[in-house]
Coordinates of all heavy atoms in Angstrom, one line a residue:
H718 N 4.5 -31.7 -10.7 CA 4.3 -30.2 -10.8 C 3.7 -29.5 -9.6 O 4.2 -28.5 -9.1 CB 3.4 -29.9 -12.1 CG 3.7 -28.6 -12.7 ND1 3.3 -28.2 -14.0 CD2 4.6 -27.5 -12.4 CE1 3.7 -27.0 -14.2 NE2 4.5 -26.6 -13.3
H722 N 7.3 -29.1 -7.5 CA 7.6 -27.8 -7.9 C 6.8 -26.7 -7.3 O 7.4 -25.7 -6.6 CB 7.5 -27.6 -9.5 CG 8.3 -28.6 -10.1 ND1 9.8 -28.2 -10.4 CD2 8.2 -29.8 -10.8 CE1 10.4 -29.2 -11.1 NE2 9.4 -30.2 -11.3
Y723 N 5.5 -26.7 -7.4 CA 4.6 -25.6 -6.9 C 4.8 -25.6 -5.3 O 5.1 -24.5 -4.8 CB 3.1 -25.9 -7.3 CG 2.2 -25.0 -6.6 CD1 2.3 -23.7 -6.6 CD2 1.0 -25.5 -6.0 CE1 1.4 -22.9 -5.9 CE2 0.1 -24.7 -5.3 CZ 0.3 -23.4 -5.3 OH -0.7 -22.6 -4.6
Y726 N 8.0 -24.0 -4.3 CA 8.1 -22.5 -4.3 C 7.4 -21.9 -3.2 O 7.7 -20.9 -2.7 CB 7.5 -22.1 -5.7 CG 8.2 -22.5 -7.0 CD1 7.6 -23.1 -8.0 CD2 9.6 -22.1 -7.1 CE1 8.3 -23.6 -9.2 CE2 10.3 -22.5 -8.3 CZ 9.6 -23.1 -9.2 OH 10.4 -23.6 -10.4
Q766 N 6.9 -17.4 -8.7 CA 6.5 -18.8 -9.1 C 5.4 -19.3 -8.4 O 4.6 -20.1 -8.9 CB 7.8 -19.7 -9.0 CG 8.8 -19.6 -10.0 CD 8.3 -19.9 -11.4 OE1 7.6 -19.2 -12.1 NE2 8.7 -21.1 -11.9
H770 N 2.1 -20.4 -10.7 CA 1.6 -21.8 -10.7 C 0.2 -21.9 -10.2 O -0.6 -22.6 -10.8 CB 2.5 -22.7 -9.9 CG 3.8 -23.1 -10.6 ND1 4.9 -22.3 -10.5 CD2 4.0 -24.1 -11.4 CE1 5.9 -22.9 -11.3 NE2 5.2 -24.0 -11.8
F773 N -1.9 -20.6 -13.0 CA -1.8 -21.6 -14.2 C -2.8 -22.7 -14.0 O -3.6 -23.1 -14.7 CB -0.4 -22.1 -14.4 CG -0.2 -23.3 -15.3 CD1 -0.7 -23.2 -16.6 CD2 0.4 -24.4 -14.9 CE1 -0.6 -24.3 -17.4 CE2 0.6 -25.5 -15.7 CZ 0.1 -25.4 -17.0
F774 N -2.7 -23.4 -12.7 CA -3.6 -24.6 -12.5 C -5.0 -24.1 -12.5 O -5.9 -25.0 -13.0 CB -3.3 -25.1 -11.1 CG -1.9 -25.6 -10.9 CD1 -1.1 -25.5 -9.7 CD2 -1.3 -26.4 -12.0 CE1 0.2 -26.0 -9.8 CE2 0.0 -27.0 -11.9 CZ 0.7 -26.8 -10.8
W819 N 6.9 -18.4 -19.3 CA 5.5 -18.5 -19.3 C 4.9 -17.7 -20.5 O 5.6 -16.8 -20.9 CB 4.9 -17.8 -18.0 CG 5.4 -18.4 -16.8 CD1 6.6 -18.2 -16.1 CD2 4.7 -19.4 -16.0 NE1 6.7 -19.0 -15.0 CE2 5.5 -19.8 -14.9 CE3 3.4 -20.0 -16.1 CZ2 5.1 -20.6 -13.9 CZ3 2.9 -20.9 -15.1 CH2 3.9 -21.2 -14.1
D852 N 2.4 -22.7 -18.5 CA 3.8 -22.8 -18.0 C 4.6 -23.4 -19.1 O 4.2 -24.5 -19.6 CB 3.7 -23.7 -16.7 CG 5.0 -23.9 -16.1 OD1 6.1 -23.6 -16.7 OD2 5.0 -24.4 -14.9
V853 N 5.7 -22.9 -19.6 CA 6.5 -23.5 -20.7 C 7.9 -23.9 -20.1 O 8.8 -24.1 -20.9 CB 6.6 -22.7 -21.9 CG1 5.2 -22.8 -22.6 CG2 7.2 -21.3 -21.8
W854 N 8.0 -24.0 -18.7 CA 9.2 -24.6 -18.2 C 9.2 -26.2 -18.6 O 8.1 -26.6 -18.6 CB 9.1 -24.6 -16.7 CG 9.5 -23.3 -16.0 CD1 8.9 -22.1 -16.2 CD2 10.5 -23.1 -15.0 NE1 9.5 -21.1 -15.5 CE2 10.5 -21.6 -14.7 CE3 11.5 -23.8 -14.4 CZ2 11.4 -21.1 -13.8 CZ3 12.4 -23.2 -13.5 CH2 12.3 -21.9 -13.2
H856 N 9.6 -28.7 -16.9 CA 9.0 -29.7 -16.0 C 7.5 -29.7 -16.2 O 6.9 -30.6 -15.7 CB 9.4 -29.2 -14.5 CG 8.8 -27.9 -14.1 ND1 9.5 -27.0 -13.5 CD2 7.5 -27.5 -14.2 CE1 8.7 -25.9 -13.1 NE2 7.5 -26.2 -13.6
A857 N 7.0 -28.7 -16.9 CA 5.5 -28.7 -17.2 C 5.1 -29.8 -18.3 O 3.9 -30.1 -18.4 CB 5.1 -27.4 -17.7
Ligands
MN265 MN1 5.9 -25.0 -13.5

Side-chain angles (χ1 to χ4, degrees):
H718 209 169
H722 294 279
Y723 171 52
Y726 292 126
Q766 281 295 79
H770 279 88
F773 168 55
F774 295 138
W819 300 81
D852 185 345
V853 294
W854 284 57
H856 68 230

